Amino acid sequence: EQVIKYKINRESEIQPYFDRYVEKMKNHRHFKSKKSHGKILIYSDVKLRFPPMIYKSYFNASQTIILSKQSQRDEYFGIPVHTIADNEIDSSTMAQNYIKMAERIFTRHDQHPIFSQTVFQNKFIHLIPEMVNLLVALDQYYDQHAISCVIVGYTGTPISRVITLLAAQRGIPSICMQHGSILCKVGGYTPVLATKQAVYGPYEMNWYKKRGVPDYRLAMIGHPRFDIIYTKKTKPRKQFMKKLKLNPKYKNVLIVTQ
């Protein structure tokens, strides 16, 4: 009770709490306004669940970039692939400064229920060099490329979260795809950090609304893979049954396991 500044008593308070911090970052005066004539940046390391048809049909190769932490390919369906590793520079001095800053904070809060825990301190300090290196590399990337929109598959990982927040800092809108079926109450689905959170249907819309995400931050788009149900040419039933050596007199049961 003595160290808790803000209490969250209802699920609807979750998103507004985080929004206060994200709003402070948006359109930072240090950066120019968003580059509306830039390219679409797709971060591909976290599953987007885009089948090849999506890339071919909806993304102009000359106006799109795929970003990966490390990649063995230079392009994907004609879309150029860039790597974060190509923008990394020596940031060890900066990382050490942040480590010292963190250690001073931990010392001042030696009675704090979390900050005083050795396990938490070690984990936090261990992550600082990696996070600083990532921030510096992505900061350089945004400086060197005109980006108009960012698409990520999830904002629960450090890289996708940094990509999204640095975009917000520059006034660049972002879209986060739904990361699979929502089968639990947390699991990285909240808070929503992107400008728009794409969802599959009404259930997910209501799920996010209950947690304080406003309507204008949500976009119901369905599952990207479901498009092929209507666009892909399938084999006639007789041909399919013959190929699998199934008896056409019996009904077939499809069990989806994954």
Side-chain angles (χ1 to χ4, degrees), residues 5-256:
K5 282 187 177 182
Y6 305 102
K7 293 183 180 180
I8 294 179
N9 299 309
R10 297 184 298 274
E11 287 182 327
S12 59
E13 297 173 347
I14 296 174
Q15 186 66 38
Y17 175 82
F18 285 95
D19 282 343
R20 292 182 305 163
Y21 297 98
V22 178
E23 286 299 322
K24 292 178 182 178
M25 298 179 59
K26 288 184 177 179
N27 296 303
H28 196 284
R29 63 179 180 274
H30 177 70
F31 301 103
K32 296 179 180 178
S33 60
K34 66 182 180 182
K35 301 169 182 177
S36 57
H37 300 294
K39 296 184 178 182
I40 297 171
L41 182 68
I42 302 174
Y43 177 58
S44 63
D45 285 0
V46 177
K47 286 185 177 180
L48 289 160
R49 293 170 171 80
F50 287 176
M53 182 202 72
I54 295 291
Y55 287 100
K56 294 176 182 178
S57 303
Y58 296 102
F59 295 103
N60 186 326
S62 65
Q63 296 298 318
T64 309
I65 300 170
I66 293 175
L67 183 65
S68 174
K69 187 174 182 181
Q70 292 181 326
S71 179
Q72 300 299 319
R73 62 177 71 185
D74 296 323
E75 56 84 27
Y76 186 65
F77 293 110
I79 301 173
V81 177
H82 295 178
T83 61
I84 297 172
D86 289 341
N87 292 270
E88 292 179 352
I89 61 174
D90 182 14
S91 57
S92 56
T93 301
M94 188 185 299
Q96 285 302 314
N97 290 335
Y98 280 111
I99 288 174
K100 291 177 182 177
M101 188 185 302
E103 289 173 341
R104 289 195 294 271
I105 293 172
F106 293 147
T107 300
R108 291 200 305 270
H109 295 84
D110 59 345
Q111 299 301 312
H112 193 281
I114 296 176
F115 292 172
S116 62
Q117 299 298 312
T118 303
V119 173
F120 174 82
Q121 293 178 8
N122 292 339
K123 181 68 174 178
F124 189 89
I125 289 173
H126 176 73
L127 288 172
I128 287 177
E130 179 185 347
M131 292 304 300
V132 170
N133 188 57
L134 179 62
L135 281 162
V136 171
L138 288 169
D139 199 48
Q140 281 209 135
Y141 185 85
Y142 278 121
D143 285 344
Q144 295 168 5
H145 297 84
I147 304 299
S148 63
C149 180
V150 171
I151 300 176
V152 298
Y154 184 53
T155 55
T157 67
I159 297 180
S160 57
R161 188 163 289 194
V162 170
I163 290 171
T164 305
L165 292 176
L166 286 182
Q169 197 175 46
R170 287 162 171 74
I172 302 171
S174 55
I175 301 169
C176 180
M177 304 301 296
Q178 183 174 323
H179 188 65
S181 299
I182 300 176
L183 301 176
C184 57
K185 288 190 175 181
V186 282
Y189 294 100
T190 55
V192 170
L193 299 177
T195 311
K196 288 278 188 181
Q197 173 65 49
V199 298
Y200 296 161
Y203 169 79
E204 292 81 6
M205 285 281 287
N206 292 328
W207 191 91
Y208 277 105
K209 287 179 186 178
K210 287 180 181 178
R211 285 153 183 81
V213 183
D215 274 338
Y216 70 87
R217 297 280 301 278
L218 301 169
M220 188 162 54
I221 66 167
H223 195 303
R225 288 179 179 168
F226 290 171
D227 288 6
I228 60 175
I229 295 174
Y230 302 98
T231 59
K232 185 178 179 180
K233 292 182 179 180
T234 58
K235 292 182 179 180
R237 178 177 172 80
K238 286 184 178 180
Q239 187 178 343
F240 175 78
M241 300 289 284
K242 185 177 180 180
K243 182 178 180 180
L244 296 181
K245 298 179 180 179
L246 298 174
N247 191 332
K249 295 181 180 179
Y250 295 102
K251 291 183 177 180
N252 301 301
V253 178
L254 174 65
I255 302 175
V256 181

